[in-house]
Amino acid sequence: MPDGGRLRVPVGPEAARWATRGRCRRVLLVVHNVTSATRLLDVLPLFRDDLRVQLLATCTGSSPFLAGVRELLQGVGLPVLPWEQAREVPVDLAVSASYGGPLGELRGRVAVLSHGMGYNKRLAVGDRAPVFGMDAEFLLREGRPVAQATVLSHPEQLARLRASCPQAAATAVLAGDPCYDRILAALPQRDRFRRAFGLGPGQRLIVVNSTWGPRSLFGDGGEEDPLLSLLPRLTAELPLDEYRVAAVLHPNIWYGHGPGQVRAWLDGARRAGLLLVHPLDAWRQALIAADCLVGDHGSVTFYAAALGRPVLLGAFPEADLDPRSPVAALGRLAPRLLPHRGLRVQLDGAMGGHDPARYARLAAQVTSAPGRSAALLRGLFYRLMGLPEAACGPAVLDPLPLPSPAAQAGGPGGGEGQDPWGWAARTAPVRVLATASRAGAPHVRLVRYAQGPAEPEEAGPREPADAHTAVPESTPDPGRLRLADVILRYAAADDPRLGPPAAWAAEVLGRHPHCALAAYVTGPGRCVAVGRGEAPVRLTAAPDAAGRADLCDPAVYASALHAWLANGGPLREAVAAGLLVTTGGAVHRVRLET
């Protein structure tokens, strides 16, 4: 790091005395900010199992977005050189994922990767706005190329480079896109990723993505600030059990403003069910799992379109882009999100009328070597070092891991009881529309809507049905509990702070005379509910045909039982026959035990 101490091992004047393996070739990973570091982490596996190579890292210190870099590099566990030392130490190869910083000062051969979907954005430099990574302003130093290898993923980028900076064109190497290759390799895991994000059968995942900058979807530099209404409306207008909404924000938003500030800005949406995906951990998995993406002019939006996902553009500042770039072409092709129209109608229309081949021509411009970037990049790196590739098997990239729901950035997400899918993080009141039927087996149809503190009771589309309000006991507004028909708690059944579920329910019903039913969610597919004047009942959903647990929020079962009892249905009948609970297009078979 720029302000860190100089290393003595494995480099430095005394390194030969102290290093155990002192004859290694040196590969320096040059980090500009967290965003560029993520692309370097993509290619890190290409040096594994080679005892001839010592990996090092440094940070140029030139980016305004330095927060998070130290922690990320510490997590990787490589020796980190302060920039002043990195400039002095001879290395065999320096790999950067940005042209930011004085790369020309390094003592070694330099390879530069892009840290997004090619080079598309303009960056203001004085009164000019050159395309970052394509203009002599960034690529040349004293008239000569900064890098010995400028890695591009597609010939269209090479054509633009030749037109804008012919002096650097000779350094261009077509070597694919390792980030996109990892996504392509993980596509067969889509169903697993969807379950990891808590998506049950029939649910749709809407991903809201923003790059950084004042004219991005998350920015406030445009004529309007669409985000002020977009996220609250998404969580209020979309039925909870038919849609899930996830936000993927650029690392420069996350670390530029601070993770705590981002969480605070999105607090209401998170309490209403928004999943806030950490920008380093699972954004690619979220794209694979998504049914639709609302985005802007960032690379993530383009990757989603390339995967064949429906895309709606919530912001798209065309002046910030190279008009010849594929991302600019996406802006001319993709539909816009209209902020003053119903969101559900637009989202359903985008998904229902989408042709997966719509963006096929653009998808072909992501990479000219799909699935081959690992081999091409490893060959390039070793050629630059003048070293034969190690005989350690084919070059491979790390597979995308199965995301841990408990590690999502949006809240407790598993910290409270047995709730790994973030149901306990939903602390906003929920308005429930229920229709109970006694024709045949007891059957209750439910539609649930999150209510933010400022949302009217009747926000969103409605249908004739009995309505009630379910409120988590952990709501930050305890006044809502006085009017709750159903009060919820998510915790382990043996949590000594709360007592057994039946004891907790008796306490809640005694404290809140308006409440008709208290429900204690103990894990996926199960809860314990106590209706006023009724015996405690354990509700357990039947697993699916493959034996997997039901991923519906178990609070749904509690609301169904309340609706059944409120409509005169006897508890004994529900216990004897079980409950059929319908949410959207999914039917949940729930067993009741007194």
Side-chain angles (χ1 to χ4, degrees):
M1 295 294 294
D3 58 345
R6 287 175 172 260
L7 295 189
R8 298 172 64 189
V9 181
V11 296
E14 305 170 273
R17 176 184 178 187
W18 301 110
T20 301
R21 296 189 65 84
R23 297 169 61 186
C24 293
R25 301 292 178 95
R26 296 168 178 170
V27 174
L28 179 67
L29 304 180
V30 184
V31 173
H32 186 56
N33 51 32
V34 168
T35 309
S36 67
T38 59
R39 186 54 57 93
L40 296 178
L41 297 183
D42 282 338
V43 302
L44 199 59
L46 302 181
F47 300 100
R48 286 181 184 159
D49 294 317
D50 193 342
L51 295 171
R52 304 168 299 168
V53 172
Q54 169 69 59
L55 296 172
L56 307 166
T58 190
C59 177
T60 61
S62 58
S63 172
F65 300 102
L66 291 179
V69 172
R70 182 187 300 276
E71 294 78 8
L72 186 148
L73 291 179
Q74 287 175 343
V76 175
L78 296 178
V80 179
L81 282 67
W83 178 247
E84 290 303 317
Q85 185 179 12
R87 294 168 53 200
E88 302 168 1
V89 172
V91 297
D92 298 280
L93 173 65
V95 184
S96 175
S98 172
Y99 267 103
L103 300 181
E105 298 178 3
L106 293 171
R107 298 179 60 189
R109 299 174 72 79
V110 176
V112 179
L113 319 175
S114 72
H115 58 262
M117 210 304 294
Y119 297 100
N120 307 286
K121 293 182 180 179
R122 297 183 180 277
L123 185 66
V125 179
D127 58 354
R128 299 175 59 245
V131 178
F132 183 72
M134 284 280 171
D135 191 88
E137 185 83 27
F138 312 105
L139 279 69
L140 304 181
R141 181 172 182 249
E142 297 178 353
R144 302 185 61 173
V146 169
Q148 281 67 51
T150 299
V151 177
L152 306 176
S153 66
H154 193 275
E156 73 82 18
Q157 297 164 20
L158 178 57
R160 287 191 286 132
L161 179 63
R162 284 172 173 158
S164 59
C165 185
Q167 303 96 311
T171 69
V173 179
L174 292 172
D177 184 330
C179 176
Y180 192 59
D181 279 355
R182 294 182 71 193
I183 295 174
L184 293 178
L187 286 176
Q189 307 297 318
R190 172 175 162 84
D191 287 344
R192 291 182 180 177
F193 292 161
R194 288 175 65 81
R195 289 194 295 273
F197 286 114
L199 291 159
Q203 282 189 303
R204 290 172 159 180
L205 177 63
I206 310 301
V207 173
V208 179
N209 165 251
S210 178
T211 188
W212 68 281
R215 288 180 291 277
S216 68
L217 180 57
F218 205 84
D220 61 1
E223 295 181 2
E224 296 186 24
D225 191 347
L227 203 70
L228 288 177
S229 65
L230 177 60
L231 286 175
R233 288 178 59 205
L234 279 170
T235 53
E237 294 182 21
L238 302 181
L240 280 177
D241 305 301
E242 298 174 44
Y243 302 82
R244 298 206 82 176
V245 181
V248 174
L249 304 180
H250 194 282
N252 286 358
I253 299 174
W254 190 260
Y255 292 104
H257 293 281
Q261 178 62 77
V262 172
R263 292 189 185 100
W265 277 333
L266 301 180
D267 182 66
R270 290 168 52 222
R271 288 190 285 109
L274 174 76
L275 301 175
L276 183 53
V277 180
H278 195 284
L280 301 185
D281 293 339
W283 68 266
R284 286 173 278 213
Q285 294 90 323
L287 282 193
I288 293 171
D291 294 286
C292 185
L293 182 131
V294 178
D296 55 17
H297 60 304
S299 293
V300 173
T301 303
F302 193 93
Y303 281 138
L307 292 177
R309 303 292 182 261
V311 167
L312 286 172
L313 298 177
F316 203 87
E318 297 178 10
D320 291 2
L321 295 167
D322 181 348
R324 303 167 297 170
S325 69
V327 174
L330 175 64
R332 294 188 288 268
L333 186 60
R336 294 321 199 249
L337 182 74
L338 304 177
H340 304 297
R341 288 189 57 196
L343 297 179
R344 184 176 183 181
V345 171
Q346 295 184 74
L347 290 167
D348 286 352
M351 291 182 281
H354 179 64
D355 178 1
R358 175 175 188 147
Y359 305 117
R361 184 181 63 82
L362 295 180
Q365 293 183 308
V366 175
T367 173
S368 57
R372 297 173 51 216
S373 65
L376 293 172
L377 286 170
R378 191 172 76 172
L380 169 66
F381 293 156
Y382 278 80
R383 286 197 303 275
L384 290 173
M385 286 191 288
L387 189 67
E389 293 185 51
C392 54
V396 294
L397 306 172
D398 280 344
L400 294 181
L402 190 65
S404 168
Q408 291 170 23
E416 183 174 354
Q418 305 298 309
D419 173 34
W421 285 281
W423 295 318
R426 293 177 179 168
T427 59
V430 175
R431 193 66 169 164
V432 184
L433 305 179
T435 304
S437 170
R438 298 184 64 178
H443 189 183
V444 180
R445 299 179 183 275
L446 291 180
V447 183
R448 301 191 306 156
Y449 295 89
Q451 293 183 112
E455 289 295 327
E457 292 278 315
E458 297 301 324
R462 293 295 183 258
E463 60 186 61
D466 294 326
H468 67 265
T469 301
V471 182
E473 192 183 30
S474 56
T475 177
D477 183 2
R480 305 300 289 263
L481 294 171
R482 292 195 297 270
L483 301 176
D485 301 291
V486 175
I487 294 179
L488 306 166
R489 168 60 74 174
Y490 297 80
D494 59 353
D495 190 330
R497 299 169 299 173
L498 300 169
W504 168 85
E507 179 185 334
V508 166
L509 292 172
R511 184 184 305 137
H512 301 285
H514 181 81
C515 178
L517 184 141
Y520 190 114
V521 177
T522 59
R526 60 188 185 273
C527 67
V528 174
V530 181
R532 190 170 294 279
E534 302 283 0
V537 180
R538 180 179 293 108
L539 293 88
T540 308
D544 66 15
R548 295 189 177 96
D550 186 23
L551 288 184
C552 176
D553 181 355
V556 167
Y557 319 149
S559 280
L561 178 59
H562 168 72
W564 173 256
L565 296 174
N567 280 272
L571 179 60
R572 64 179 180 276
E573 186 177 335
V575 170
L579 276 176
L580 291 179
V581 183
T582 298
T583 57
V587 177
H588 313 275
R589 299 179 182 275
V590 183
R591 183 175 69 250
L592 286 76
E593 301 172 88
T594 54

PDB file of all heavy atoms in Angstrom, residues 154-175:
ATOM      1  N   HIS A 154     -11.887  -8.567 -27.945  1.00  0.00           N
ATOM      2  CA  HIS A 154     -12.590  -8.719 -29.223  1.00  0.00           C
ATOM      3  C   HIS A 154     -11.959  -7.809 -30.279  1.00  0.00           C
ATOM      4  O   HIS A 154     -11.483  -6.707 -29.958  1.00  0.00           O
ATOM      5  CB  HIS A 154     -14.072  -8.376 -29.051  1.00  0.00           C
ATOM      6  CG  HIS A 154     -14.921  -8.785 -30.213  1.00  0.00           C
ATOM      7  ND1 HIS A 154     -15.067  -7.992 -31.336  1.00  0.00           N
ATOM      8  CD2 HIS A 154     -15.659  -9.907 -30.441  1.00  0.00           C
ATOM      9  CE1 HIS A 154     -15.876  -8.601 -32.188  1.00  0.00           C
ATOM     10  NE2 HIS A 154     -16.239  -9.760 -31.676  1.00  0.00           N
ATOM     11  N   PRO A 155     -11.958  -8.207 -31.538  1.00  0.00           N
ATOM     12  CA  PRO A 155     -11.371  -7.359 -32.587  1.00  0.00           C
ATOM     13  C   PRO A 155     -12.010  -5.985 -32.711  1.00  0.00           C
ATOM     14  O   PRO A 155     -11.350  -5.053 -33.197  1.00  0.00           O
ATOM     15  CB  PRO A 155     -11.586  -8.191 -33.861  1.00  0.00           C
ATOM     16  CG  PRO A 155     -11.631  -9.597 -33.397  1.00  0.00           C
ATOM     17  CD  PRO A 155     -12.310  -9.557 -32.059  1.00  0.00           C
ATOM     18  N   GLU A 156     -13.280  -5.829 -32.309  1.00  0.00           N
ATOM     19  CA  GLU A 156     -13.868  -4.488 -32.426  1.00  0.00           C
ATOM     20  C   GLU A 156     -13.110  -3.492 -31.553  1.00  0.00           C
ATOM     21  O   GLU A 156     -12.993  -2.313 -31.898  1.00  0.00           O
ATOM     22  CB  GLU A 156     -15.368  -4.515 -32.088  1.00  0.00           C
ATOM     23  CG  GLU A 156     -15.743  -4.687 -30.621  1.00  0.00           C
ATOM     24  CD  GLU A 156     -15.688  -3.382 -29.831  1.00  0.00           C
ATOM     25  OE1 GLU A 156     -15.694  -2.292 -30.439  1.00  0.00           O
ATOM     26  OE2 GLU A 156     -15.626  -3.468 -28.589  1.00  0.00           O
ATOM     27  N   GLN A 157     -12.567  -3.966 -30.408  1.00  0.00           N
ATOM     28  CA  GLN A 157     -11.774  -3.094 -29.551  1.00  0.00           C
ATOM     29  C   GLN A 157     -10.449  -2.743 -30.239  1.00  0.00           C
ATOM     30  O   GLN A 157      -9.960  -1.611 -30.126  1.00  0.00           O
ATOM     31  CB  GLN A 157     -11.520  -3.775 -28.208  1.00  0.00           C
ATOM     32  CG  GLN A 157     -12.773  -4.050 -27.406  1.00  0.00           C
ATOM     33  CD  GLN A 157     -12.540  -5.045 -26.285  1.00  0.00           C
ATOM     34  OE1 GLN A 157     -11.414  -5.272 -25.850  1.00  0.00           O
ATOM     35  NE2 GLN A 157     -13.613  -5.660 -25.802  1.00  0.00           N
ATOM     36  N   LEU A 158      -9.887  -3.708 -30.944  1.00  0.00           N
ATOM     37  CA  LEU A 158      -8.637  -3.456 -31.662  1.00  0.00           C
ATOM     38  C   LEU A 158      -8.842  -2.423 -32.762  1.00  0.00           C
ATOM     39  O   LEU A 158      -8.005  -1.532 -32.973  1.00  0.00           O
ATOM     40  CB  LEU A 158      -8.107  -4.767 -32.253  1.00  0.00           C
ATOM     41  CG  LEU A 158      -6.825  -4.675 -33.087  1.00  0.00           C
ATOM     42  CD1 LEU A 158      -5.698  -4.051 -32.277  1.00  0.00           C
ATOM     43  CD2 LEU A 158      -6.425  -6.057 -33.598  1.00  0.00           C
ATOM     44  N   ALA A 159      -9.983  -2.486 -33.441  1.00  0.00           N
ATOM     45  CA  ALA A 159     -10.259  -1.505 -34.487  1.00  0.00           C
ATOM     46  C   ALA A 159     -10.357  -0.106 -33.902  1.00  0.00           C
ATOM     47  O   ALA A 159      -9.839   0.868 -34.479  1.00  0.00           O
ATOM     48  CB  ALA A 159     -11.556  -1.875 -35.213  1.00  0.00           C
ATOM     49  N   ARG A 160     -11.009   0.022 -32.767  1.00  0.00           N
ATOM     50  CA  ARG A 160     -11.111   1.347 -32.140  1.00  0.00           C
ATOM     51  C   ARG A 160      -9.763   1.820 -31.628  1.00  0.00           C
ATOM     52  O   ARG A 160      -9.439   3.023 -31.682  1.00  0.00           O
ATOM     53  CB  ARG A 160     -12.142   1.312 -31.002  1.00  0.00           C
ATOM     54  CG  ARG A 160     -13.581   1.237 -31.500  1.00  0.00           C
ATOM     55  CD  ARG A 160     -14.583   1.468 -30.379  1.00  0.00           C
ATOM     56  NE  ARG A 160     -14.691   0.327 -29.471  1.00  0.00           N
ATOM     57  CZ  ARG A 160     -14.658   0.420 -28.150  1.00  0.00           C
ATOM     58  NH1 ARG A 160     -14.454   1.595 -27.578  1.00  0.00           N
ATOM     59  NH2 ARG A 160     -14.781  -0.651 -27.396  1.00  0.00           N
ATOM     60  N   LEU A 161      -8.944   0.879 -31.108  1.00  0.00           N
ATOM     61  CA  LEU A 161      -7.614   1.255 -30.622  1.00  0.00           C
ATOM     62  C   LEU A 161      -6.743   1.755 -31.770  1.00  0.00           C
ATOM     63  O   LEU A 161      -6.027   2.758 -31.633  1.00  0.00           O
ATOM     64  CB  LEU A 161      -6.962   0.055 -29.936  1.00  0.00           C
ATOM     65  CG  LEU A 161      -5.549   0.270 -29.393  1.00  0.00           C
ATOM     66  CD1 LEU A 161      -5.552   1.341 -28.303  1.00  0.00           C
ATOM     67  CD2 LEU A 161      -4.974  -1.038 -28.855  1.00  0.00           C
ATOM     68  N   ARG A 162      -6.803   1.086 -32.903  1.00  0.00           N
ATOM     69  CA  ARG A 162      -6.001   1.531 -34.051  1.00  0.00           C
ATOM     70  C   ARG A 162      -6.400   2.921 -34.514  1.00  0.00           C
ATOM     71  O   ARG A 162      -5.560   3.721 -34.932  1.00  0.00           O
ATOM     72  CB  ARG A 162      -6.164   0.542 -35.201  1.00  0.00           C
ATOM     73  CG  ARG A 162      -5.389  -0.758 -35.010  1.00  0.00           C
ATOM     74  CD  ARG A 162      -5.740  -1.765 -36.080  1.00  0.00           C
ATOM     75  NE  ARG A 162      -4.889  -2.960 -36.000  1.00  0.00           N
ATOM     76  CZ  ARG A 162      -5.208  -4.135 -36.492  1.00  0.00           C
ATOM     77  NH1 ARG A 162      -6.375  -4.285 -37.149  1.00  0.00           N
ATOM     78  NH2 ARG A 162      -4.398  -5.156 -36.380  1.00  0.00           N
ATOM     79  N   ALA A 163      -7.703   3.206 -34.411  1.00  0.00           N
ATOM     80  CA  ALA A 163      -8.179   4.517 -34.850  1.00  0.00           C
ATOM     81  C   ALA A 163      -7.826   5.619 -33.867  1.00  0.00           C
ATOM     82  O   ALA A 163      -7.552   6.756 -34.274  1.00  0.00           O
ATOM     83  CB  ALA A 163      -9.698   4.469 -35.050  1.00  0.00           C
ATOM     84  N   SER A 164      -7.800   5.314 -32.571  1.00  0.00           N
ATOM     85  CA  SER A 164      -7.614   6.366 -31.571  1.00  0.00           C
ATOM     86  C   SER A 164      -6.175   6.511 -31.101  1.00  0.00           C
ATOM     87  O   SER A 164      -5.738   7.609 -30.751  1.00  0.00           O
ATOM     88  CB  SER A 164      -8.516   6.101 -30.360  1.00  0.00           C
ATOM     89  OG  SER A 164      -8.212   4.838 -29.791  1.00  0.00           O
ATOM     90  N   CYS A 165      -5.422   5.398 -31.094  1.00  0.00           N
ATOM     91  CA  CYS A 165      -4.024   5.475 -30.646  1.00  0.00           C
ATOM     92  C   CYS A 165      -3.204   4.435 -31.396  1.00  0.00           C
ATOM     93  O   CYS A 165      -2.865   3.372 -30.855  1.00  0.00           O
ATOM     94  CB  CYS A 165      -3.941   5.244 -29.127  1.00  0.00           C
ATOM     95  SG  CYS A 165      -2.274   5.468 -28.442  1.00  0.00           S
ATOM     96  N   PRO A 166      -2.872   4.703 -32.652  1.00  0.00           N
ATOM     97  CA  PRO A 166      -2.159   3.692 -33.464  1.00  0.00           C
ATOM     98  C   PRO A 166      -0.804   3.303 -32.869  1.00  0.00           C
ATOM     99  O   PRO A 166      -0.340   2.185 -33.103  1.00  0.00           O
ATOM    100  CB  PRO A 166      -2.009   4.380 -34.822  1.00  0.00           C
ATOM    101  CG  PRO A 166      -2.235   5.838 -34.565  1.00  0.00           C
ATOM    102  CD  PRO A 166      -3.161   5.929 -33.405  1.00  0.00           C
ATOM    103  N   GLN A 167      -0.172   4.211 -32.090  1.00  0.00           N
ATOM    104  CA  GLN A 167       1.136   3.872 -31.515  1.00  0.00           C
ATOM    105  C   GLN A 167       1.047   2.673 -30.571  1.00  0.00           C
ATOM    106  O   GLN A 167       2.012   1.933 -30.392  1.00  0.00           O
ATOM    107  CB  GLN A 167       1.721   5.057 -30.743  1.00  0.00           C
ATOM    108  CG  GLN A 167       1.868   6.325 -31.565  1.00  0.00           C
ATOM    109  CD  GLN A 167       0.689   7.258 -31.381  1.00  0.00           C
ATOM    110  OE1 GLN A 167      -0.464   6.837 -31.481  1.00  0.00           O
ATOM    111  NE2 GLN A 167       0.979   8.515 -31.111  1.00  0.00           N
ATOM    112  N   ALA A 168      -0.125   2.500 -29.926  1.00  0.00           N
ATOM    113  CA  ALA A 168      -0.275   1.406 -28.958  1.00  0.00           C
ATOM    114  C   ALA A 168      -0.868   0.159 -29.577  1.00  0.00           C
ATOM    115  O   ALA A 168      -0.913  -0.889 -28.920  1.00  0.00           O
ATOM    116  CB  ALA A 168      -1.154   1.869 -27.789  1.00  0.00           C
ATOM    117  N   ALA A 169      -1.327   0.249 -30.820  1.00  0.00           N
ATOM    118  CA  ALA A 169      -2.010  -0.891 -31.430  1.00  0.00           C
ATOM    119  C   ALA A 169      -1.101  -2.112 -31.552  1.00  0.00           C
ATOM    120  O   ALA A 169      -1.563  -3.253 -31.479  1.00  0.00           O
ATOM    121  CB  ALA A 169      -2.555  -0.500 -32.801  1.00  0.00           C
ATOM    122  N   ALA A 170       0.210  -1.870 -31.713  1.00  0.00           N
ATOM    123  CA  ALA A 170       1.132  -3.003 -31.857  1.00  0.00           C
ATOM    124  C   ALA A 170       1.226  -3.830 -30.577  1.00  0.00           C
ATOM    125  O   ALA A 170       1.678  -4.984 -30.609  1.00  0.00           O
ATOM    126  CB  ALA A 170       2.512  -2.496 -32.258  1.00  0.00           C
ATOM    127  N   THR A 171       0.834  -3.262 -29.457  1.00  0.00           N
ATOM    128  CA  THR A 171       0.906  -4.000 -28.189  1.00  0.00           C
ATOM    129  C   THR A 171      -0.355  -4.818 -27.927  1.00  0.00           C
ATOM    130  O   THR A 171      -0.418  -5.561 -26.937  1.00  0.00           O
ATOM    131  CB  THR A 171       1.097  -3.033 -26.997  1.00  0.00           C
ATOM    132  OG1 THR A 171      -0.103  -2.251 -26.810  1.00  0.00           O
ATOM    133  CG2 THR A 171       2.271  -2.103 -27.237  1.00  0.00           C
ATOM    134  N   ALA A 172      -1.370  -4.685 -28.762  1.00  0.00           N
ATOM    135  CA  ALA A 172      -2.660  -5.331 -28.509  1.00  0.00           C
ATOM    136  C   ALA A 172      -2.557  -6.845 -28.641  1.00  0.00           C
ATOM    137  O   ALA A 172      -1.906  -7.367 -29.550  1.00  0.00           O
ATOM    138  CB  ALA A 172      -3.712  -4.794 -29.461  1.00  0.00           C
ATOM    139  N   VAL A 173      -3.207  -7.534 -27.720  1.00  0.00           N
ATOM    140  CA  VAL A 173      -3.272  -9.000 -27.727  1.00  0.00           C
ATOM    141  C   VAL A 173      -4.720  -9.395 -27.480  1.00  0.00           C
ATOM    142  O   VAL A 173      -5.343  -8.969 -26.492  1.00  0.00           O
ATOM    143  CB  VAL A 173      -2.384  -9.615 -26.625  1.00  0.00           C
ATOM    144  CG1 VAL A 173      -2.493 -11.143 -26.654  1.00  0.00           C
ATOM    145  CG2 VAL A 173      -0.944  -9.167 -26.775  1.00  0.00           C
ATOM    146  N   LEU A 174      -5.275 -10.176 -28.380  1.00  0.00           N
ATOM    147  CA  LEU A 174      -6.638 -10.688 -28.192  1.00  0.00           C
ATOM    148  C   LEU A 174      -6.566 -11.936 -27.322  1.00  0.00           C
ATOM    149  O   LEU A 174      -6.019 -12.958 -27.731  1.00  0.00           O
ATOM    150  CB  LEU A 174      -7.278 -11.007 -29.548  1.00  0.00           C
ATOM    151  CG  LEU A 174      -7.587  -9.800 -30.428  1.00  0.00           C
ATOM    152  CD1 LEU A 174      -8.026 -10.241 -31.812  1.00  0.00           C
ATOM    153  CD2 LEU A 174      -8.671  -8.941 -29.784  1.00  0.00           C
ATOM    154  N   ALA A 175      -7.117 -11.836 -26.111  1.00  0.00           N
ATOM    155  CA  ALA A 175      -6.978 -12.946 -25.156  1.00  0.00           C
ATOM    156  C   ALA A 175      -8.258 -13.217 -24.384  1.00  0.00           C
ATOM    157  O   ALA A 175      -8.222 -13.812 -23.316  1.00  0.00           O
ATOM    158  CB  ALA A 175      -5.817 -12.675 -24.194  1.00  0.00           C
TER     159      ALA A 175
END
